[in-house]
Amino acid sequence: GVDNIDLEAAKQCGVIVKFAPNGNTNATAEHALGLIFAIARKVPFAHNTLKQGVWHKKPFQGNELFGKTLGVIGCGRIGQCLAEAARALGKKTIGYDLYRAIDSNVEYVDSIDEIFTESDFISLHTGGTKVIVGERELSLMKPTGYLVNASRGKNVSEDALYAALKDKRIGGAALDCYEKEPKKEGEAFVSKLRELDNIVLSAHLGASTHNAVRKTSLEVAEVTAH
């Protein structure tokens, strides 16, 4: 996306801004799927415990993905890619989007509320800075439901999510992006979400693969050349 670029300033400086949307599609969809596995099977928590030299099994009993319903909010390139992977895992995918792809792996619903009430896992793949998941939406989720956001940090109210997770009103969450993110490598990450034991966190890694960087670079070069 280009929402982190001052397009008017770029125009005034004679800088050409091009959109290269395809290079990181698979990388981001795979990362979202990885976050789903991580929170459902509690892999990071089990890993950290073993790293500390303690063997535990019972606290980390997880949930399988097979037969569950995945709700996708934002059914563009990445949402469709994730839905295709979910289908291979035996998951039903329902989706909500203002624009519906004709050739789709998603069963579209008419109301976004249906995503929250019917899904076992909810994954966001939207843009912009509007809050999509707040206190009301979290209250609609199943008590066993999981929320995943590998899209835009401001799409989720972190205060509302913190309260829901702390009170165990939903099963868990996995985030790759946040309302406020460090600007520099190695900078401190400040968030009360770190206190919780039912959330998985990663540092905006959705598009961070060697493959995606190469594909995106080539795509930018080809788009600019035209």
Side-chain angles (χ1 to χ4, degrees):
V2 296
D3 49 314
N4 60 332
I5 299 173
D6 188 331
L7 296 177
E8 186 57 35
K11 181 179 179 180
Q12 292 175 4
C13 294
V15 175
I16 298 173
V17 178
K18 293 288 187 176
F19 181 44
N22 299 306
N24 63 7
T25 296
N26 185 71
T28 306
E30 283 190 358
H31 192 68
L33 183 60
L35 290 173
I36 291 173
F37 273 115
I39 188 62
R41 296 304 302 267
K42 304 184 180 181
V43 174
F45 313 120
H47 168 81
N48 289 336
T49 302
L50 276 182
K51 290 278 283 186
Q52 294 169 18
V54 181
W55 180 273
H56 275 312
K57 291 184 67 174
K58 288 185 179 180
F60 305 127
Q61 188 176 50
N63 292 291
E64 297 182 21
L65 275 60
F66 184 85
K68 301 297 195 306
T69 297
L70 169 67
V72 176
I73 300 175
C75 303
R77 296 168 292 102
I78 297 169
Q80 294 291 338
C81 187
L82 176 61
E84 184 176 1
R87 183 175 61 176
L89 293 168
K91 296 185 72 174
K92 171 186 176 182
T93 302
I94 60 175
Y96 179 83
D97 201 312
L98 297 178
Y99 306 97
R100 300 185 176 187
I102 297 175
D103 184 16
S104 176
N105 298 299
V106 173
E107 179 184 315
Y108 288 101
V109 296
D110 295 323
S111 167
I112 194 171
D113 285 359
E114 292 180 62
I115 298 292
F116 292 99
T117 58
E118 296 183 18
S119 302
D120 300 295
F121 298 86
I122 298 170
S123 190
L124 299 181
H125 298 285
T126 54
T129 59
K130 179 182 177 182
V131 174
I132 296 172
V133 182
E135 184 177 350
R136 174 186 172 277
E137 288 74 24
L138 290 165
S139 71
L140 297 175
M141 288 180 61
K142 297 179 180 180
T144 55
Y146 297 95
L147 177 71
V148 175
N149 187 14
S151 182
R152 294 289 189 271
K154 292 185 178 180
N155 290 162
V156 176
S157 167
E158 291 182 13
D159 285 340
L161 180 60
Y162 176 85
L165 291 171
K166 190 172 180 62
D167 296 340
K168 310 292 185 184
R169 286 187 271 119
I170 62 174
L175 303 183
D176 186 48
C177 45
Y178 310 89
E179 291 178 339
K180 293 182 180 179
E181 299 182 2
K183 302 296 183 184
K184 299 178 181 178
E185 187 76 12
E187 188 177 337
F189 172 59
V190 180
S191 173
K192 59 185 179 182
L193 294 171
R194 293 170 51 202
E195 305 169 9
L196 304 170
D197 60 3
N198 51 356
I199 188 169
V200 172
L201 308 172
S202 61
H204 215 138
L205 301 177
S208 294
T209 67
H210 297 292
N211 318 75
V213 170
R214 177 173 174 78
K215 287 187 288 187
T216 300
S217 299
L218 290 172
E219 187 178 0
V220 169
E222 291 171 356
V223 170
T224 305
H226 291 87

